[in-house]
Amino acid sequence: MPWLSTLMGVSVLGALGVTLVRNDKLAKQFTLVVSLIVLALTVAMAVQFSPNGDKFQFAETYDWIPAFGVHYGVAVDGIALVLILLSVILVPIVVLASWHDAEKGKRSVRTYFSLLLVLEAMMIGVFAATDVFLFYVFFEAMLIPMYFMIGSYGGAQRSYAAVKFLLYSLFGGLLMLVAVIALYSIAGKGTFMFSDLVGTVQDVTTQKWLFLGFFIAFAIKAPLWPFHTWLPDAAAQAPAGAAVLLVGVLDKVGTYGMLRFCLELFPDAAKFFTPLVITLSVIGIVYGAIVAIGQTDMKRLIAYTSVSHFGFIAMGVFAMTTDAGAGATLYMVNHGFSTGALFLIAGFLIHRRGSQFISDYGGVQKVAPILAGTFLVAGLSSLSLPGLSTFVSEFMVLTGTYQRYVVPSVIAATGVILAAIYILWMYQRTMNGPTAESVKSLPDLNAREKWVVAPLIALLLVFGFYPKPLLDVIHPAVKDTLSSVSVTDPGAAVPVAKEGQ
């Protein structure tokens, strides 16, 4: 069963089908059904995954451009699998949440939902690609549907935000393309297959230059401070559903790329640049949190919290310990659920009031208690409250980093305190206090919106108390990655590796 090709094929065919449907309501229903089919197929694939089996499973490899050694090569390890699961879980939720988003201004509803399914196929492809050139193609191609979703269906400054997002991403992609071509030439293997390129670049100076080409592209995508400036504009102007996929999934391609490509292809360069990356990560954690505290726009505030959270993820990746790496991967998943819930509930609130400014709200919990309650749970997950899934991942990143970098981990821990300030401040200003005149008639969540929020809240609670299913899949993959970098956990007698390696 070619699982991964089937997942992408169903999404692409679904997107084509949506464009052929002439009824907008039917187009939405069709999109939802297709996204649920993709989710069901992905779960069926995941059940067959063996965490202690081969590193890459469900592999498919076909010649694409034989003259240059380019292949259509896809497969997943534990890291890629959980990120694909994150993607396919969020898509049907976003479809349901975006039911009326494309109707404003009489823009094409069918085009919007078709773009969603195309984006889903691209997200699956970018995490599954095992050919470096194919990865680059997906890395760039997924910009196209997101650009149109922001530029055509976003807020008042959507054109500016979409162009800024595209230019930053294309600049990073250009650097990576140069590095990909250079890697191909230097390796001399006549192939772009990832497994064949690992260990081929021995010269440390060459590794450093190639590392920078990949890393800067991933740092822009993530976004890691100081490459983050496109994110607040894009997230604030994008429709709530598009913002969820942008911050919850597309940005994870950056941190995934650091873990997959920067560490395994250029291990010596990764070790050389680790102090710099750890420093940038810690600055990003504190900077993002402080700037979030000063925001007056709800969606921009949530975007800046993500700048802080991506600092934790990048720090976990480059701490190069098993706990920190597994925590960073788990953080990618949990952040998608947590920030996804925040963006969607904030979007419901903004849709009702017509304003993104925090000062235009107050006392919402008195008129819409379910909306306020779910917003509180999502907010508490963002500040990593014990009992919610983000606490597990953030705790693992901090303790794993502390094993090797004590001072950075202690400074990074202040981000937890700052997170409590910006989340509780936003909740207090919008949900507590006297009921603002403009919100007295605000309706509570309707049935459709409850179906949107309920799965995210449930996942935050379930994985907060029982993250073992995810960690059982993630841990072996992270150990395998670190073994290729030839690092040893502090206190370990041998390099981290799979049994028998």
Side-chain angles (χ1 to χ4, degrees):
M1 176 69 178
W3 284 107
L4 296 164
S5 294
T6 300
L7 297 179
M8 289 184 276
V10 170
S11 296
V12 171
L13 291 175
L16 293 174
V18 171
T19 62
L20 300 177
V21 175
R22 294 305 173 192
N23 180 280
D24 287 347
K25 182 177 180 181
L26 187 59
K28 298 174 191 177
Q29 295 170 341
F30 182 77
T31 304
L32 181 59
V33 170
V34 171
S35 65
L36 290 173
I37 291 172
V38 173
L39 173 57
L41 289 171
T42 306
V43 172
M45 178 187 73
V47 169
Q48 300 179 39
F49 182 82
S50 175
N52 296 309
D54 295 337
K55 177 177 180 179
F56 289 108
Q57 299 177 35
F58 313 117
E60 304 170 47
T61 306
Y62 308 99
D63 287 339
W64 181 19
I65 311 176
F68 296 99
V70 179
H71 298 80
Y72 170 80
V74 291
V76 294
D77 66 350
I79 299 168
L81 178 63
V82 295
L83 291 173
I84 290 174
L85 280 168
L86 167 67
S87 305
V88 300
I89 289 171
L90 287 180
V91 169
I93 291 173
V94 166
V95 170
L96 201 56
S98 306
W99 212 250
H100 301 298
D101 283 358
E103 296 174 354
K104 302 173 185 176
K106 297 182 179 180
R107 287 165 285 190
S108 173
V109 172
R110 295 189 299 278
T111 300
Y112 181 83
F113 287 97
S114 178
L115 289 171
L116 271 176
L117 291 177
V118 171
L119 182 60
E120 180 177 44
M122 299 298 173
M123 293 187 298
I124 294 170
V126 77
F127 291 125
T130 53
D131 181 288
V132 178
F133 189 83
L134 180 66
F135 172 82
Y136 169 77
V137 171
F138 281 123
F139 184 86
E140 294 288 76
M142 66 183 183
L143 300 177
I144 300 171
M146 183 55 68
Y147 169 79
F148 285 108
M149 290 170 72
I150 298 173
S152 300
Y153 300 90
Q157 297 182 331
R158 57 185 180 271
S159 297
Y160 168 78
V163 170
K164 187 174 183 179
F165 157 73
L166 187 65
L167 290 178
Y168 269 71
S169 300
L170 287 177
F171 174 73
L174 179 61
L175 290 178
M176 187 168 71
L177 177 60
V178 173
V180 167
I181 295 173
L183 174 63
Y184 172 82
S185 301
I186 293 167
K189 293 283 188 177
T191 180
F192 285 94
M193 288 298 291
F194 173 77
S195 57
D196 293 331
L197 293 175
V198 172
T200 56
V201 182
Q202 299 297 323
D203 182 70
V204 177
T205 301
T206 304
Q207 276 197 33
K208 290 176 184 177
W209 285 108
L210 295 176
F211 173 93
L212 287 174
F214 278 82
F215 176 77
I216 294 174
F218 295 144
I220 292 172
K221 178 70 72 177
L224 183 68
W225 185 92
F227 306 99
H228 67 283
T229 56
W230 63 267
L231 179 62
D233 293 314
Q237 296 302 316
V244 171
L245 296 179
L246 174 64
V247 181
V249 181
L250 267 65
D251 289 355
K252 305 297 168 36
V253 176
T255 47
Y256 168 79
M258 294 176 191
L259 184 58
R260 167 71 72 239
F261 297 99
C262 289
L263 263 58
E264 295 200 59
L265 291 176
F266 318 112
D268 294 326
K271 294 174 188 175
F272 176 83
F273 285 109
T274 286
L276 173 62
V277 179
I278 294 287
T279 301
L280 294 179
S281 301
V282 172
I283 293 173
I285 291 168
V286 178
Y287 169 85
I290 291 175
V291 176
I293 293 172
Q295 294 303 302
T296 58
D297 182 300
M298 202 179 305
K299 291 175 73 175
R300 288 182 71 88
L301 188 153
I302 299 171
Y304 274 110
T305 69
S306 292
V307 174
S308 182
H309 292 148
F310 278 108
F312 280 106
I313 297 172
M315 183 175 72
V317 170
F318 280 87
M320 297 189 192
T321 65
T322 306
D323 286 345
T329 305
L330 184 62
Y331 210 138
M332 295 185 215
V333 177
N334 290 333
H335 175 268
F337 297 142
S338 172
T339 303
L342 271 177
F343 266 119
L344 290 176
I345 299 169
F348 295 152
L349 192 60
I350 293 165
H351 179 77
R352 286 160 164 73
R353 173 65 178 81
S355 173
Q356 296 183 186
F357 291 104
I358 295 172
S359 58
D360 289 336
Y361 296 87
V364 172
Q365 68 175 6
K366 296 176 184 176
V367 297
I370 298 176
L371 188 154
T374 53
F375 193 63
L376 178 61
V377 174
L380 293 176
S381 72
S382 185
L383 61 84
S384 300
L385 184 76
L388 297 172
S389 61
T390 45
F391 169 77
V392 180
S393 46
E394 195 161 295
F395 181 79
M396 290 179 67
V397 167
L398 288 172
T399 55
T401 304
Y402 186 84
Q403 295 173 25
R404 185 161 279 140
Y405 302 101
V406 176
V407 174
S409 64
V410 171
I411 298 174
T414 62
V416 179
I417 301 170
L418 295 171
I421 295 174
Y422 61 67
I423 288 296
L424 296 178
W425 176 83
M426 178 173 64
Y427 185 83
Q428 181 186 42
R429 294 287 298 274
T430 55
M431 304 296 169
N432 292 339
T435 305
E437 194 66 32
S438 56
V439 304
K440 285 185 177 179
S441 59
L442 274 182
D444 209 341
L445 295 182
N446 58 38
R448 174 181 60 84
E449 292 166 338
K450 290 175 184 176
W451 276 105
V452 169
V453 176
L456 295 174
I457 300 299
L459 289 167
L460 291 172
L461 291 169
V462 169
F463 291 129
F465 285 96
Y466 192 65
K468 187 176 182 295
L470 292 177
L471 291 175
D472 284 347
V473 173
I474 293 169
H475 259 294
V478 170
K479 287 182 179 181
D480 193 279
T481 298
L482 293 181
S483 71
S484 68
V485 189
S486 301
V487 296
T488 304
D489 277 343
V494 295
V496 179
K498 291 167 60 177
E499 291 184 11
Q501 185 168 353

